[in-house]
Amino acid sequence: MLALARPTPRLPNQYYPDDENVRQYVSAQIRQLSPDRSSRAAMGKTSMRQNISYSVEPVDKSIRRSASTVAGQSTPDAASPTEPDDPISTTSGATAKPRPLQRSNTDIGPRRQSSPEKPDITEVWEMRHGYDEQYNSTKYLEHLSSTFFMYYTDKRHETGGKPRQEDPNYNASQWRMRDRLKTVSAALIMCLNIGVDPPDVVKTNPTAKLECWIDPTPTIGTNSKTMEQIGKKLQEQYEGLSIRVRYKQYLDPSVEETQKFCKSLRRNAKDERILFHYNGHGVPMPTPSGEIWVFNRNYTQYIPVSLYDLQIWLGAPSLYVFDCSNAGNIIANFDRFVEKHEEEDAEARKKDPNLQFPTHGDNIQLAACGKTESLPTNPNLPADLFTCCLTTPIDISLRFFLLNNPLPCKLNLKDVARIPGRLAERRSPLGELNWIFTAITDTIAWNLLPRATFKKLFRQDLMVAALFRNFLLSERIMRANGCHPMSVPSLPETHNHPLWQAWDLTIEMVLAQLPAMIAAEDGGPPYEYVHSEFFTDQLTAFEVYLAQGAPNQEAPDQLPIVLQVLLSQVHRLRALILLSRFLDMGAWAVNLALTIGIFPYVLKLLQSAAFELKPVMIFIWARILAVDGACQADLIKDNGYQYFLTMLNPSAQLPVPNQSEHRAMSAFIIAMFCRGFSQGQTVCLSPELIETCISHFQDAENPLLRQWSCLCISMLWADFPEAKWVGIRCQAHQKLCDMAADPVPEVRAAALHALNNFLGIPDLTTQVVHYEECVASMIMGMTKDGNSMVRRELLVLFSTYVKRYQNKFLVAAFGQLIEEKEFLVESEDKQNWNPQHGSLSRRSSQPGSDDEDNMQRISKGSIQRTMWMHILILSIDPHPEVAQDARLIVDYLHEALLASPLGLKAQPLMNDIVRLSRRAATTKPPAASRQPSATPNGRRTPMSASPAPPALPRNESYISAGMRRTASIATAMMQLPFVGSAKQSQPPQTMPANQNHLGAPKRSRVPEEWSRPPDVYDLESKPKAYIKAKCPKPRGFQKHDPSSAPVLPLKSGFFDWSIEYFGEPQMRPNEPDEPGSDDYNKKLWRRSRNEKVLNCTQPLKGVAGASPWDVPAGFFNNGSQPVKMSFHQFEDHLAIADDHDSICIWDWTNHTRLCRFSNGNPPGSRITEARFINEDDSALLLTGSSDGVVKIFRNYESDKDIELVSAFRALTNLVPSNKSSGLVLDWQQGQGRLLVAGDVRYIRVWNAATEICINNITARSSCPITSLTHDAVEGSTIIAGYGDGTIRVFDQRIRPQEAMVRVWRKHNQFITDVHMQRGGVRELVSGCRDGEVKLWDLRWKDEVRTIRAVDTAGTGGAAAATARGAALRGLTVHEHAPVFAAGTSTHSLNLFNMNGTPLNVLNPTIPSPYAVTHLLQSHRHTPMASAAFHPHRMVLAGGAVGSGWINVWR
């Protein structure tokens, strides 16, 4: 995949002797781009991964290499190969001894020849440590190109476990019709006056006659019967729309009758809607002022009825239908009279506020035509065309199609009335037409109307919805006949919507089959009706919409049609599957579906026993409840919740392969059903449900099921004592405590959430106290969890426990104050030690009272005292949100203590603690200083460079100075340095000059500084204007208002955060994995960029071993002394940690600073490590501090966007030592493991995916670990360097107590660095303070080569170096090129290749104003502070002590 150029001509002393061998070596390094990517199972949603893969060309030959040794050093021949019983086990070394290395004929010394000579290779060298077989293995190469995992990029890191902030005005249940109305009464007014035409109407001849499909042509003596038939027919047509309405016919009424029945309707309807249908075909047209006409008692006059009076009689809400000419006049004047009524009511209310007035505003109006339009008179159409459109849409649609069909047709108007079937039978031709018509009109309204208007007109009232659905048809038909129907509220034009063409096609397909159906009905051959493909085609269109991914969240046109399809068993399953895909798009899609009216359908389907519908129904309900959880009352109807209880049972089978995921959804639905709903908790309470959830704890494949099983129990017994006792009998609380060790942080947090709700049984008996103390004790160890979300949930549980047992915690806090004071007094007395008298000069102090001693004795060892100590530890947690929550608990309890009867004694204790702490802070040297303290004989004993973090032993001080009554007591605690154990605060004890301790070491010629860390004598740089940088906070961090009093218990947001999972897309790839998305394109660009960097740098690695590396590539001022530097593999980023607590990110190519921020170190600690992780994609910055804290930052290159991703204490109980190295770490990207060690007796292995410590490997030494590295091939080998010069090799696959498989004791002094290359031949290089650098092979008991890296050019060798006091300050090794650099105490960087050949001596440039030297080193140049190679490019950066200037060389 990577095209490699042929290497340039080689210098005589080049590391690799053969062009062909160089090509093979470079080809073998193609896979250097990242550490070993060992395969491992991704654990559900906890695996933070993105797919990044690369192709590799296999290496088919061994790598040849020249070898020689430095004069005076042991040759490879002298090195002993691995013994047969050697515990080291590698692929090639496990079965055979490695081939001994022999001296070649290559001359590696400096040569002055003008032309290179090709050396003669006599021996073939293998890949170091036996890894050559892996590089020639096809399986291994495929393994390297497999999916690459990214870490700390999951949702819990993006959000910190905090739910999204909802809009306070947002109502999740806004889709519900809270103000649902129904039409209860209808007045059908027919003013026809059959046989008499009104004076202002001129009818054509022929003209339209039919009224309600009845010909009213008068015959002798039949006028009254015809009128009754028409009225009865109109009522039947309306009953086809809604049969529950009380209809009343009023045929040719008088004005008095009109007033009477209108008032009667309003009186009976109360606040419900009234339908007023007015047919004025037999009376004059409405007047310009909107008056309608009725008759007098004798039918001799037309009497006008004012809209003003009509509104008084009918009131509101009302629905008006006006079927008459010039009906627009009514619409135009209606609102004018409503405003007049409201003005009059307002005036009357001013006079008498107690008067009750009817409402007039909520009115809906439908009119047949405009203000100056007459009704159609086409004889082929009915006279009441508008009424027919509103009440018989199918009949009028068939007639309209037949009249407007341009093609010849054998059918007549009478034939279309013979379509078989009934409107209610959807499988019959007539019923199918009505079904399709409903879907089409709903869809037209959905697409054109505003959502609020659609909801009001089409979902609030069945009668209103039916009339407006048919009104859309009337607009089409009436417009075709010269009329423009009007409505209030007004609607946009709908007559030209494309779906009307689909309606015409549907009618045409039915009419095409009508002759055959009529013939079959008349006794002809039988005919089977062919159903329409309308719904199938629309579902296909909906599927196309889903395939496009809903760009811009546009509502699909077919959503109302999908709703109608649910009524059909034929298409139901497909419609539900497509609907579930739509709901999976997010909350906006669920809201649209609920608005369109999907809820009643899916609620009814819970009664269905169809086996194939169960998975999709579970999915749909999970999405609905994730958006609107207020559906409990709906689920309890008809026992709908039983549907999900059954599916949660492990014995229930589902027709899908991922049954556990659907059971997790069922558990989520039950949890939502029980949440805050006592009826739901009561009906769900059963031992079977709790035992079912407990059984799911063992499902190792699906963490989502384990998480929601915990939360289901949590919601079941929240504030429900009966459920808690059932859980106790099922031992649910013990099983939940066992979940504290679950590998998934979300599951651990869910278990804590359930245990928190378990606390609080009202009857506080001894048995209850025992159960709750057991729970508290079993989860106490979770304070060391690496996930901040889990620790915050733990604090919520602690706060509940503190509130419940507040009195006991007051005693525990008071006892802690007593112990704190005793500790400070004891420390002060030790400082007053008089060595001449051999006794302590104790000041007089009042002994504690008996009551205080009793309280201290009672509280010590109790669960409350232990929990209180843990809360105090968490109050200084490195994560700001965890620390803030813990401080709230501390503040609350201290305020309660001062307000309690113990307050009179607690206040003096606090005052004494403040006084003693301030005195101690002013009398003892700061523990954080790296400046040694002087002893009487003039020698210096360095203090520990890294203070120990707070821990549980008694000699730790939690409540230091600053204990005063401010807004936050705990914040005051945080403002003081934590000096660790008492050992650090003790002055150095020295023996008299004439006495010698038996165990004291004899004076030797080895400089004392060689046995200590390189920076032990360094003064902290003090720039003239050092400005403390801003400390990044987690996303969404909200600082607590100090003016508001703390309230317990704390509120947990974990459940709401967990709900969001079911509101997010699960059926489609994430945004970064979605082709075409911005994130996906950025990832592709980064991949291309990475490959380009590899292509450009691969050829250079072969010649790096002969380059002088003296080309300046950068020179810039960091502003403070560098301590650690790290290059990004692919970005032009250089991270520099200074000797304070700041980190600067530089663009080293442009010499510009991108970002500067504070690591937030407490006083007394410093940054000891800085690494980039996830470098193949969006990298994160990982830092380690001497107090054992690890922090991870996102957007580290931006001052504005930088955020804290994670922070935890990776090491606890750091042991102070004069050989202190603080915290050292190494990152395994392939395995997602963080290796940490330091001034402790173990190596701790943290899993980044699970965020828990998975291994504590015994260090097998009392000396501190000074450096860590690992193999990037197998990923199981750890190499550690120690302060006493030993190097130990550990295998993570072996038991921690037996993990050490190799120890080398060839170094005699402090190991500054040990490093194994990730590429090249995987050289393992170590360096110690005396200047020796050694190369190792894991299979060998002795070193491969020893190189004198300090003062190799001088005479006298090591003895001369010792005499001058030179020492190795630091060692940095290129990851892939055969080069390393040794930083010295004489202001030089000595470069060597792996053969031991010196390449160059670099002296960093420091402007004279910034040259600050140590007072004991004033005659020398300043030592090197830090140096780093770029992982791929041939670039080296370095900086010196006391200077902020950074030099970059190529």
Side-chain angles (χ1 to χ4, degrees):
M1 184 174 180
L2 304 178
L4 302 178
R6 189 173 182 82
T8 55
R10 174 182 67 258
L11 294 178
N13 59 345
Q14 186 172 337
Y15 188 56
Y16 298 105
D18 193 323
D19 284 345
E20 177 63 16
N21 293 331
V22 170
R23 185 193 66 78
Q24 294 179 6
Y25 174 74
V26 173
S27 177
Q29 293 185 82
I30 292 179
R31 293 317 306 163
Q32 50 67 46
L33 65 144
S34 64
D36 170 39
R37 303 173 179 178
S38 67
S39 58
R40 57 185 177 84
M43 299 185 311
K45 60 180 182 176
T46 64
S47 58
M48 294 62 69
R49 57 186 180 271
Q50 299 179 11
N51 296 328
I52 302 178
S53 59
Y54 297 85
S55 299
V56 197
E57 295 181 2
V59 181
D60 55 356
K61 295 183 179 180
S62 300
I63 298 177
R64 297 176 179 272
R65 165 178 160 187
S66 63
S68 60
T69 57
V70 180
Q73 301 177 10
S74 60
T75 65
D77 292 323
S80 301
T82 307
E83 298 294 335
D85 55 351
D86 196 329
I88 287 286
S89 175
T90 59
T91 304
S92 60
T95 57
K97 298 181 181 179
R99 184 177 302 170
L101 304 181
Q102 300 178 358
R103 183 187 299 275
S104 69
N105 295 331
T106 305
D107 180 10
I108 64 170
R111 301 174 64 181
R112 303 294 181 185
Q113 297 151 258
S114 58
S115 59
E117 294 183 16
K118 189 171 183 178
D120 180 22
I121 303 302
T122 60
E123 185 60 33
V124 176
W125 282 31
E126 298 175 342
M127 178 72 68
R128 191 70 75 197
H129 320 296
Y131 291 149
D132 51 341
E133 184 171 332
Q134 283 90 335
Y135 278 91
N136 289 286
S137 169
T138 304
K139 181 179 179 181
Y140 178 72
L141 296 176
E142 292 176 353
H143 167 66
L144 287 177
S145 61
S146 61
T147 302
F148 191 73
F149 294 93
M150 312 300 289
Y151 301 93
Y152 297 102
T153 57
D154 202 8
K155 181 186 175 183
R156 64 175 179 269
H157 303 110
E158 298 285 342
T159 63
K162 299 182 291 293
R164 287 190 295 264
Q165 294 294 330
E166 296 288 351
D167 184 357
N169 298 323
Y170 173 74
N171 181 13
S173 300
Q174 61 184 354
W175 58 273
R176 291 183 179 270
M177 302 302 300
R178 301 299 182 186
D179 53 346
R180 179 182 293 275
L181 296 174
K182 60 181 178 179
T183 303
V184 297
S185 301
L188 308 179
I189 294 90
M190 304 292 291
C191 297
L192 298 180
N193 197 13
I194 297 175
V196 179
D197 293 335
D200 57 350
V201 174
V202 178
K203 294 184 178 180
T204 61
N205 189 16
T207 187
K209 297 180 180 179
L210 300 179
E211 296 283 352
C212 295
W213 303 105
I214 296 176
D215 188 353
T217 303
T219 58
I220 298 174
T222 61
N223 285 353
S224 60
K225 292 184 179 181
T226 304
M227 194 68 180
E228 292 175 359
Q229 292 176 0
I230 293 175
K232 184 179 180 181
K233 183 65 175 178
L234 178 62
Q235 180 174 338
E236 291 178 357
Q237 293 175 183
Y238 266 107
E239 288 176 347
L241 302 181
S242 178
I243 198 173
R244 297 182 179 180
V245 179
R246 297 189 298 268
Y247 297 98
K248 184 66 174 178
Q249 306 168 29
Y250 298 97
L251 310 178
D252 292 340
S254 64
V255 64
E256 293 81 9
E257 292 175 346
T258 302
Q259 179 181 2
K260 181 180 179 180
F261 71 68
C262 285
K263 290 183 177 180
S264 176
L265 286 174
R266 173 49 58 197
R267 185 170 55 254
N268 295 330
K270 298 181 180 179
D271 294 332
E272 299 292 347
R273 182 173 281 121
I274 296 173
L275 169 63
F276 182 84
H277 178 95
Y278 174 76
N279 184 326
H281 296 175
V283 295
M285 294 181 290
T287 64
S289 61
E291 296 172 319
I292 61 174
W293 298 88
V294 292
F295 303 95
N296 62 0
R297 289 179 180 272
N298 301 322
Y299 296 98
T300 58
Q301 292 180 350
Y302 299 109
I303 306 299
V305 177
S306 171
L307 288 178
Y308 180 86
D309 296 333
L310 188 62
Q311 292 170 358
I312 294 177
W313 300 340
L314 286 176
S318 298
L319 170 60
Y320 297 89
V321 177
F322 300 106
D323 188 355
C324 58
S325 299
N326 290 4
N329 287 328
I330 305 174
I331 303 297
N333 291 278
F334 197 95
D335 289 341
R336 180 168 59 89
F337 288 105
V338 170
E339 293 174 359
K340 184 178 181 180
H341 282 298
E342 292 176 348
E343 292 174 0
E344 293 175 353
D345 294 343
E347 291 294 333
R349 191 173 288 109
K350 292 180 181 178
K351 297 178 181 179
D352 188 356
N354 297 324
L355 289 178
Q356 299 294 327
F357 299 95
T359 59
H360 303 282
D362 188 7
N363 295 292
I364 299 174
Q365 306 151 51
L366 299 176
C369 57
K371 296 196 301 183
T372 59
E373 295 176 348
S374 299
L375 296 178
T377 58
N378 187 340
N380 294 321
L381 296 174
D384 60 343
L385 179 61
F386 184 64
T387 299
C388 290
C389 290
L390 294 181
T391 57
T392 57
I394 304 303
D395 296 339
I396 196 64
S397 294
L398 293 170
R399 181 177 291 257
F400 178 76
F401 177 82
L402 198 61
L403 293 175
N404 292 273
N405 186 14
L407 299 177
C409 182
K410 298 180 181 180
L411 300 175
N412 54 39
L413 296 178
K414 294 182 180 180
D415 292 335
V416 296
R418 298 186 59 184
I419 295 179
R422 295 189 304 116
L423 294 177
E425 296 178 355
R426 287 186 294 271
R427 298 300 296 170
S428 66
L430 190 61
E432 186 178 60
L433 277 176
N434 185 56
W435 186 23
I436 295 175
F437 174 79
T438 302
I440 287 177
T441 50
D442 262 8
T443 304
I444 293 175
W446 169 259
N447 293 331
L448 298 181
L449 269 60
R451 292 289 174 260
T453 304
F454 175 84
K455 180 180 176 182
K456 177 180 179 181
L457 300 182
F458 287 82
R459 293 296 180 265
Q460 191 181 59
D461 187 342
L462 292 178
M463 176 62 78
V464 174
L467 287 176
F468 268 91
R469 194 180 294 119
N470 299 341
F471 179 78
L472 302 182
L473 175 67
S474 72
E475 186 179 9
R476 185 188 187 211
I477 295 179
M478 297 293 286
R479 279 177 176 268
N481 289 274
C483 292
H484 296 78
M486 301 178 66
S487 68
V488 176
S490 61
L491 304 182
E493 294 185 358
T494 61
H495 65 282
N496 55 358
H497 195 277
L499 274 178
W500 287 121
Q501 300 177 11
W503 175 237
D504 290 340
L505 177 61
T506 302
I507 293 178
E508 184 177 6
M509 297 300 294
V510 173
L511 294 180
Q513 302 179 68
L514 184 57
M517 290 187 289
I518 293 176
E521 185 179 351
D522 293 340
Y527 180 79
E528 183 177 356
Y529 174 70
V530 179
H531 293 279
S532 173
E533 296 292 328
F534 172 79
F535 289 110
T536 302
D537 296 340
Q538 294 300 319
L539 288 179
T540 302
F542 187 48
E543 193 170 3
V544 172
Y545 164 87
L546 295 174
Q548 294 176 348
N552 301 324
Q553 297 186 356
E554 295 180 357
D557 296 343
Q558 301 81 14
L559 194 56
I561 298 175
V562 175
L563 180 67
Q564 292 294 325
V565 173
L566 294 180
L567 300 173
S568 170
Q569 293 184 357
V570 177
H571 305 290
R572 182 174 296 162
L573 179 59
R574 183 188 179 194
L576 286 173
I577 293 175
L578 295 178
L579 179 62
S580 65
R581 289 176 55 188
F582 175 68
L583 298 181
D584 187 61
M585 291 183 173
W588 67 272
V590 177
N591 280 320
L592 283 178
L594 293 175
T595 302
I596 200 63
I598 203 73
F599 187 78
Y601 292 82
V602 295
L603 182 62
K604 187 67 175 177
L605 285 175
L606 291 180
Q607 309 304 319
S608 173
F611 184 65
E612 67 278 1
L613 298 182
K614 293 185 183 297
V616 66
M617 286 297 297
I618 293 173
F619 185 92
I620 290 174
W621 268 96
R623 287 332 186 250
I624 292 175
L625 289 174
V627 175
D628 183 8
C631 299
Q632 295 107 325
D634 301 288
L635 283 175
I636 210 170
K637 296 176 182 177
D638 301 325
N639 296 328
Y641 66 93
Q642 290 287 352
Y643 193 91
F644 308 105
L645 284 177
T646 304
M647 293 300 102
L648 185 59
N649 196 305
S651 61
Q653 296 298 318
L654 292 171
V656 288
N658 56 340
Q659 295 188 22
S660 60
E661 185 173 352
H662 285 78
R663 290 196 176 96
M665 297 179 197
S666 298
F668 161 71
I669 294 171
I670 297 301
M672 293 295 295
F673 177 61
C674 295
R675 186 188 189 189
F677 188 54
S678 58
Q679 296 180 8
Q681 292 175 308
T682 302
V683 298
C684 289
L685 178 58
S686 66
E688 290 76 15
L689 175 58
I690 297 179
E691 290 174 354
T692 296
C693 292
I694 293 175
S695 67
H696 291 317
F697 292 172
Q698 309 303 320
D699 191 328
E701 299 298 327
N702 195 332
L704 186 66
L705 177 57
R706 303 198 301 273
Q707 174 186 347
W708 279 103
S709 296
C710 295
L711 293 177
C712 183
I713 295 177
S714 177
M715 291 296 102
L716 178 63
W717 64 24
D719 300 323
F720 191 23
E722 290 81 1
K724 295 178 183 179
W725 283 112
V726 174
I728 289 174
R729 287 189 286 271
C730 296
Q731 298 183 347
H733 61 295
Q734 297 181 7
K735 301 296 183 182
L736 286 168
C737 291
D738 294 339
M739 300 301 287
D742 193 275
V744 181
E746 287 85 349
V747 179
R748 301 198 295 272
L752 288 173
H753 190 280
L755 291 172
N756 178 58
N757 284 336
F758 172 76
L759 302 177
I761 297 178
D763 189 10
L764 195 59
T765 62
T766 305
Q767 185 181 14
V768 172
V769 172
H770 171 71
Y771 288 140
E772 294 183 347
E773 286 186 351
C774 288
V775 168
S777 61
M778 292 178 71
I779 51 90
M780 207 74 72
M782 298 184 72
T783 54
K784 299 179 182 179
D785 198 287
N787 184 265
S788 61
M789 178 179 66
V790 176
R791 299 199 300 276
R792 289 189 67 191
E793 201 63 29
L794 179 65
L795 281 171
V796 174
L797 188 149
F798 282 174
S799 68
T800 304
Y801 196 83
V802 168
K803 181 70 173 179
R804 184 165 172 81
Y805 298 95
Q806 180 169 319
N807 292 335
K808 293 184 178 181
F809 276 94
L810 293 179
V811 176
F814 186 76
Q816 173 63 23
L817 290 175
I818 297 173
E819 185 174 344
E820 182 71 16
K821 179 182 176 180
E822 292 177 353
F823 167 74
L824 292 174
V825 171
E826 182 181 355
S827 299
E828 191 173 24
D829 289 341
K830 288 182 179 179
Q831 291 180 2
N832 296 328
W833 168 264
N834 190 339
Q836 295 180 356
H837 298 84
S839 62
L840 290 174
S841 300
R842 299 185 58 89
R843 294 184 305 273
S844 61
S845 60
Q846 294 293 335
S849 64
D850 293 339
D851 292 341
E852 293 179 357
D853 293 340
N854 291 336
M855 289 183 183
Q856 186 176 6
R857 184 171 60 255
I858 292 173
S859 65
K860 184 172 294 186
S862 66
I863 189 67
Q864 287 79 17
R865 182 66 174 272
T866 305
M867 183 179 292
W868 178 240
M869 300 291 281
H870 280 291
I871 294 174
L872 291 174
I873 293 174
L874 291 173
S875 67
I876 55 169
D877 192 89
H879 198 279
E881 293 174 335
V882 177
Q884 178 173 266
D885 289 348
R887 291 173 205 161
L888 291 176
I889 303 176
V890 174
D891 291 348
Y892 175 87
L893 202 62
H894 280 162
E895 290 181 4
L897 177 61
L898 294 176
S900 69
L902 291 174
L904 297 177
K905 297 183 179 181
Q907 188 66 61
L909 278 175
M910 291 183 179
N911 296 336
D912 291 343
I913 291 172
V914 171
R915 176 176 51 81
L916 293 171
S917 299
R918 288 176 177 173
R919 184 185 301 169
T922 58
T923 57
K924 66 183 179 182
S929 175
R930 294 192 296 273
Q931 179 182 5
S933 57
T935 57
N937 59 5
R939 301 188 61 181
R940 292 179 176 267
T941 304
M943 298 292 291
S944 173
S946 58
L952 287 180
R954 183 184 184 280
N955 60 356
E956 294 293 341
S957 173
Y958 292 99
I959 309 177
S960 299
M963 182 62 67
R964 53 188 181 272
R965 292 295 301 137
T966 60
S968 174
I969 299 174
T971 302
M973 293 170 52
M974 286 296 299
Q975 295 174 352
L976 295 164
F978 282 83
V979 298
S981 65
K983 295 180 181 179
Q984 287 182 279
S985 60
Q986 296 177 10
Q989 300 181 9
T990 58
M991 301 298 296
N994 57 353
Q995 296 182 10
N996 185 18
H997 195 276
L998 294 177
K1002 295 181 179 181
R1003 187 176 182 88
S1004 65
R1005 297 179 58 190
V1006 178
E1008 184 181 1
E1009 64 180 28
W1010 285 11
S1011 63
R1012 298 194 179 118
D1015 56 354
V1016 71
Y1017 291 109
D1018 293 347
L1019 285 170
E1020 184 176 299
S1021 65
K1022 298 186 180 297
K1024 294 182 180 179
Y1026 184 85
I1027 301 175
K1028 188 173 180 62
K1030 180 180 178 182
C1031 186
K1033 301 297 182 183
R1035 181 177 299 178
F1037 174 74
Q1038 295 181 351
K1039 189 175 181 180
H1040 177 71
D1041 184 7
S1043 62
S1044 60
V1047 179
L1048 294 189
L1050 301 175
K1051 300 299 182 182
S1052 171
F1054 176 74
F1055 190 86
D1056 292 327
W1057 178 83
S1058 300
I1059 293 174
E1060 294 176 1
Y1061 173 85
F1062 294 101
E1064 298 168 349
Q1066 305 295 333
M1067 290 186 178
R1068 58 189 178 94
N1070 295 328
E1071 188 71 13
D1073 302 324
E1074 185 74 34
S1077 66
D1078 291 342
D1079 291 342
Y1080 183 84
N1081 293 336
K1082 290 178 182 178
K1083 186 172 70 172
L1084 285 181
W1085 178 86
R1086 285 191 290 265
R1087 181 182 302 179
S1088 176
R1089 184 272 316 274
N1090 297 351
E1091 293 178 352
K1092 182 178 179 181
V1093 171
L1094 298 177
N1095 275 323
C1096 295
T1097 57
Q1098 288 291 351
L1100 301 177
K1101 296 169 185 176
V1103 299
S1107 172
W1109 294 73
D1110 57 355
V1111 179
F1115 182 62
F1116 48 86
N1117 187 4
N1118 188 58
S1120 55
Q1121 174 188 315
V1123 173
K1124 288 291 180 180
M1125 293 191 290
S1126 180
F1127 281 97
H1128 192 290
Q1129 287 193 52
F1130 305 108
E1131 301 281 357
D1132 296 330
H1133 295 165
L1134 173 62
I1136 302 176
D1138 65 15
D1139 57 347
H1140 291 75
D1141 70 339
S1142 297
I1143 299 175
C1144 293
I1145 307 299
W1146 286 84
D1147 183 340
W1148 60 270
T1149 57
N1150 297 321
H1151 309 162
T1152 57
R1153 193 178 73 184
L1154 304 177
C1155 179
R1156 179 175 179 266
F1157 62 93
S1158 170
N1159 194 53
N1161 286 26
S1165 65
R1166 58 192 174 93
I1167 302 173
T1168 58
E1169 295 286 352
R1171 303 285 179 91
F1172 290 104
I1173 66 175
N1174 299 347
E1175 293 175 273
D1176 282 7
D1177 197 47
S1178 298
L1180 304 175
L1181 181 64
L1182 182 147
T1183 64
S1185 302
S1186 59
D1187 56 353
V1189 170
V1190 170
K1191 294 185 177 182
I1192 300 169
F1193 300 94
R1194 181 194 302 113
N1195 303 325
Y1196 58 84
E1197 73 281 3
S1198 171
D1199 285 316
K1200 179 181 179 182
D1201 301 328
I1202 186 171
E1203 295 173 343
L1204 178 66
V1205 177
S1206 180
F1208 61 98
R1209 199 173 298 280
L1211 285 182
T1212 55
N1213 301 325
L1214 290 171
V1215 179
S1217 169
N1218 63 350
K1219 298 182 180 181
S1220 171
S1221 58
L1223 176 143
V1224 295
L1225 60 83
D1226 197 22
W1227 169 252
Q1228 293 181 321
Q1229 182 72 43
Q1231 287 75 28
R1233 294 175 183 171
L1234 181 66
L1235 314 176
V1236 292
D1239 302 326
V1240 290
R1241 304 295 182 256
Y1242 51 82
I1243 300 173
R1244 183 165 285 179
V1245 182
W1246 288 84
N1247 189 307
T1250 63
E1251 298 186 68
I1252 57 177
C1253 178
I1254 59 174
N1255 205 351
N1256 271 317
I1257 301 175
T1258 305
R1260 302 288 290 272
S1261 174
S1262 60
C1263 292
I1265 297 175
T1266 61
S1267 183
L1268 280 177
T1269 188
H1270 72 283
D1271 74 285
V1273 181
E1274 299 292 344
S1276 58
T1277 305
I1278 301 175
I1279 303 98
Y1282 289 76
D1284 60 356
T1286 59
I1287 299 175
R1288 288 176 171 83
V1289 182
F1290 301 90
D1291 193 331
Q1292 299 184 58
R1293 298 169 295 184
I1294 306 176
R1295 292 177 62 248
Q1297 296 78 6
E1298 304 172 357
M1300 191 186 76
V1301 295
R1302 171 80 72 210
V1303 56
W1304 292 308
R1305 293 185 172 88
K1306 300 300 182 179
H1307 287 292
N1308 298 320
Q1309 306 300 332
F1310 189 97
I1311 299 294
T1312 58
D1313 293 282
V1314 58
H1315 185 80
M1316 179 182 285
Q1317 290 181 307
R1318 289 187 293 178
V1321 293
R1322 309 287 177 174
E1323 292 286 9
L1324 175 58
V1325 186
S1326 66
C1328 71
R1329 292 280 284 144
D1330 61 3
E1332 281 191 348
V1333 175
K1334 294 181 182 292
L1335 277 63
W1336 309 89
D1337 192 303
L1338 294 177
R1339 301 167 295 177
W1340 293 15
K1341 292 183 177 180
D1342 296 319
E1343 69 272 21
V1344 175
R1345 180 176 292 104
T1346 300
I1347 302 170
R1348 172 61 61 181
V1350 177
D1351 289 334
T1352 55
T1355 59
T1362 302
R1364 291 190 298 273
L1368 182 69
R1369 292 276 305 186
L1371 177 70
T1372 178
V1373 182
H1374 199 285
E1375 292 289 1
H1376 306 95
V1379 179
F1380 69 87
T1384 71
S1385 58
T1386 57
H1387 195 70
S1388 65
L1389 271 175
N1390 300 340
L1391 270 71
F1392 295 84
N1393 64 20
M1394 295 301 178
N1395 282 336
T1397 304
L1399 301 179
N1400 203 348
V1401 177
L1402 303 175
N1403 298 106
T1405 303
I1406 302 179
S1408 56
Y1410 295 91
V1412 180
T1413 59
H1414 196 284
L1415 59 90
L1416 295 181
Q1417 298 173 339
S1418 57
H1419 63 285
R1420 308 174 187 174
H1421 293 292
T1422 55
M1424 293 301 300
S1426 180
F1429 279 107
H1430 192 284
H1432 297 297
R1433 302 183 188 274
M1434 304 303 113
V1435 174
L1436 172 64
V1441 172
S1443 169
W1445 289 92
I1446 307 299
N1447 291 258
V1448 183
W1449 301 275
R1450 294 183 183 274

